[in-house]
Amino acid sequence: MKLAFDKDDFLANYWQKKPCLIRQGFADFTDPVSPEILAGLAMEEGADSRVIESRADTESGWLVTHGPFEDYEKFGETDWTLLVQSVNEWLPDVGELITPFRFLPDWRIDDVMVSFSCENGGVGPHLDQYDVFIVQGAGSRHWRVGDRQAMQEHQPAEDLCQIKGEFEAVIDEHLTAGDVLYIPAGCPHDGVSLEPSLNYSVGFRAPSKAELLLQLGDIAMQQELMQERYQDPTLSSKDVSWIIEEKQLSALKQFIKDALASEGTDALLAKIISQSKRPLPEPELPTTAEQIPTLLAQKNAFIEKASGARFLKLSDTQFYGNGEAFHVSQEALTTAEWLAQLQGSETLEELAKLAKSPAEYELIAEAINQGIIYLYIDES
């Protein structure tokens, strides 16, 4: 699946700057999931799903119902949308929608949310605090999108956040299958289905400073790092005890800056951003390095990166996946890079051409045990 547009122009002029519409970004687009399969997934206990209805018989005009669902008859045939989060972690075919967007950093990719909307279905005008590409599947949808502007938010129903008032739209278009809409974080938008339709939202996480600092502090505490204690600047007996002096604020801010610039912070950040959104499925029994040559020699065998897994390179000897550090020797470097760039399924034969040393076998076994990659036999 190839996204047909000028990536350099997009990065220079649109990414995190302003919305844009890519007409037929995916030519001859074929839906990787049907409405029936999506509805069935929303019946599963572990799926994060909800139905948002536009309801005139409620005080706010909106109603949110959380899954798992038993049936959909009560929702009728118009004015509702089914949303299912992280469908890529359930259905590999949906996960393939991420591949065309890997010109952006892997760690930024969050998940693929899929929505099915009946005629006139939508979630109302709202803001998202993440960057998103919305791929139009079957059916058609009318979208209005604005540049960043001052907007007031409110909650007309539980777990539904919308904006008050109107916004000025810079995109006001009907989308059909294969069209791609890019919306930067903080841009108001509103989509209404013109007929039963599917949409795929490829979201990119954009952590706040507070979120990153909190995660950094948590992991530093766990590993007993950044344990240096604050020390006062030069004090004077004339200082007033109940006044926060500028020199004290400066010392505190410098203390935090020094912590961020300290040795080991890069590794802590790499651990944080290599973590998956949800726990990865680890194998029931650990795989050993000694087993890898036999596994690589299997016929009709394939390797795939787990949905939601990240395997990131920090330096020639340091890779990170699932929040863990992988210390990679020079002889295993090529294999580590091959695993990092892995997209979709590859035959084990391809990996076997590279991996021939104990260090490489150890790396592959560790990646399997962490749930980052898995091997399977195609018995079809």
Side-chain angles (χ1 to χ4, degrees):
M1 189 178 297
K2 186 176 180 180
L3 181 59
F5 79 132
D6 188 328
K7 298 179 180 65
D8 290 326
D9 176 69
F10 172 80
L11 290 171
N13 298 303
Y14 295 97
W15 177 242
Q16 297 192 315
K17 297 181 181 72
K18 58 183 179 180
C20 72
L21 174 58
I22 307 166
R23 286 290 188 191
Q24 290 303 287
F26 293 109
D28 302 318
F29 182 77
T30 301
D31 286 285
V33 64
S34 67
E36 293 77 16
I37 294 295
L38 186 69
L41 176 58
M43 293 178 172
E44 297 290 336
E45 190 67 39
D48 183 356
S49 62
R50 55 185 170 146
V51 166
I52 299 177
E53 299 175 82
S54 175
R55 290 273 296 265
D57 60 346
T58 63
E59 183 177 350
S60 68
W62 296 90
L63 184 65
V64 178
T65 306
H66 288 272
F69 299 98
E70 294 183 0
D71 63 70
Y72 300 89
E73 292 183 6
K74 64 180 180 180
F75 299 120
E77 297 184 359
T78 62
D79 303 302
W80 61 271
T81 294
L82 169 65
L83 303 167
V84 186
Q85 298 288 152
S86 301
V87 178
N88 55 297
E89 297 182 12
W90 293 81
L91 304 174
D93 287 348
V94 173
E96 290 182 9
L97 277 174
I98 291 174
T99 300
F101 298 100
R102 289 191 72 192
F103 64 94
L104 297 162
D106 275 359
W107 74 267
R108 290 288 310 281
I109 296 171
D110 192 19
D111 70 354
V112 182
M113 180 187 74
V114 183
S115 67
F116 169 76
S117 297
C118 293
E119 182 181 350
N120 204 40
V123 301
H126 63 284
L127 304 173
D128 290 324
Q129 298 308 318
Y130 53 84
D131 303 289
V132 64
F133 292 88
I134 299 176
V135 181
Q136 178 66 47
S140 60
R141 198 174 183 96
H142 177 213
W143 281 98
R144 296 181 66 252
V145 186
D147 285 324
R148 292 189 182 97
Q149 53 198 272
M151 303 296 302
Q152 186 177 0
E153 294 184 278
H154 71 120
Q155 277 195 309
E158 186 178 357
D159 293 328
L160 179 63
C161 193
Q162 295 181 347
I163 54 177
K164 290 184 176 180
E166 293 295 321
F167 64 86
E168 182 179 347
V170 294
I171 294 175
D172 190 342
E173 300 283 351
H174 291 179
L175 271 63
T176 57
D179 290 338
V180 180
L181 182 62
Y182 166 66
I183 306 174
C187 289
H189 52 284
D190 184 20
V192 179
S193 189
L194 302 173
E195 59 183 319
S197 62
L198 285 165
N199 283 92
Y200 306 85
S201 299
V202 183
F204 288 75
R205 57 182 177 178
S208 68
K209 293 177 181 177
E211 290 168 337
L212 274 179
L213 287 172
L214 180 61
Q215 290 177 291
L216 187 62
D218 282 344
I219 196 169
M221 290 290 288
Q222 292 169 15
Q223 300 189 15
E224 297 185 352
L225 300 173
M226 298 187 184
Q227 298 299 303
E228 298 85 359
R229 296 288 175 176
Y230 168 79
Q231 290 187 324
D232 289 314
T234 302
L235 299 179
S236 168
S237 62
K238 295 180 181 179
D239 292 341
V240 180
S241 64
W242 44 266
I243 293 178
I244 302 174
E245 301 281 355
E246 176 59 36
K247 62 183 177 182
Q248 296 169 8
L249 287 175
S250 296
L252 282 168
K253 288 188 283 189
Q254 188 60 50
F255 185 64
I256 295 171
K257 289 178 182 178
D258 290 344
L260 294 175
S262 64
E263 185 178 355
T265 302
D266 289 357
L268 293 180
L269 288 172
K271 285 176 178 286
I272 291 168
I273 64 177
S274 71
Q275 288 177 342
S276 302
K277 185 175 182 179
R278 304 175 196 275
L280 297 178
E282 297 178 10
E284 293 183 7
L285 296 175
T287 299
T288 65
E290 291 73 21
Q291 293 173 304
I292 297 301
T294 302
L295 293 174
L296 294 181
Q298 293 181 108
K299 300 298 183 183
N300 299 320
F302 294 82
I303 180 173
E304 192 163 316
K305 192 178 293 178
S307 293
R310 298 172 175 85
F311 193 59
L312 309 173
K313 181 180 179 180
L314 181 63
S315 69
D316 278 351
T317 59
Q318 291 286 95
F319 284 71
Y320 289 82
N322 199 22
E324 299 294 333
F326 287 68
H327 301 284
V328 177
S329 63
Q330 282 296 322
E331 63 180 329
L333 179 58
T334 301
T335 295
E337 291 177 341
W338 189 89
L339 293 175
Q341 62 79 41
L342 180 62
Q343 302 180 44
S345 296
E346 289 285 351
T347 64
L348 284 185
E349 183 180 4
E350 290 299 314
L351 180 57
K353 293 176 183 177
L354 291 175
K356 299 182 182 300
S357 70
E360 291 167 301
Y361 300 153
E362 187 69 40
L363 169 65
I364 295 167
E366 188 178 358
I368 293 172
N369 292 332
Q370 285 291 338
I372 296 167
I373 59 172
Y374 62 92
L375 314 181
Y376 68 96
I377 304 291
D378 185 358
E379 298 178 346
S380 59

